[in-house]
Amino acid sequence: MDHPIGGGGGASAPRVAQVLHHFYGGERRRPRSDEISEVVDPATGTAYDVAPVAGAADLDAAFASAQQAFPRWRDTVPMDRARLLLRLADRLEERAEDFVEAECRNTGKPRAAMRAELPHVCDVIRFSAGASRVPDGIAAGEY
């Protein structure tokens, strides 16, 4: 996306770290419209990224991609689903500070609070990995 933030520039135009894209079908996608929205850090009121605004065509494409992917996911055995979730939890822990920074900028949440929450997030993902291997629902009552 080649959209500038803040219009014509100048001293009041915020600097942007990155221009975000939609993500579906396993890849970043350019939006199908030119509508954008500034992403603002609620703690500072400063715009730091630009995000595309999804329109009907973007949603239709994302839903079509999900429909196409569903049969493969549906047929993925519980062991493989569990492995994917465990890898996700591992990656979250490996990049913990990146996620803390992103969440704090996005929500205005204090860093100490987010750092305290992240181990719980990883625990829930790991619990879900184990629960995915119990198809009769017994594990659902444990959490």
Side-chain angles (χ1 to χ4, degrees), residues 57-68:
D58 296 302
L59 294 173
D60 288 345
F63 281 116
S65 177
Q67 280 184 310
Q68 183 179 3

Side-chain angles (χ1 to χ4, degrees), residues 80-138:
D80 291 340
R81 289 184 185 197
R83 284 184 183 152
L84 289 169
L85 289 168
L86 292 170
R87 282 189 7 214
L88 173 61
D90 291 344
R91 297 305 173 272
L92 273 169
E93 286 178 337
E94 290 169 9
R95 297 191 55 200
E97 282 304 310
D98 293 335
F99 286 98
V100 166
E101 179 63 25
E103 183 67 4
C104 292
R105 286 191 92 185
N106 191 45
T107 65
K109 184 181 292 190
R111 280 166 181 69
M114 189 57 213
R115 282 188 189 102
E117 287 179 16
L118 197 56
H120 178 69
V121 170
C122 293
D123 180 56
V124 169
I125 293 169
R126 287 189 174 102
F127 174 86
S128 298
S132 73
R133 298 187 73 167
V134 184
D136 59 8
I138 293 171

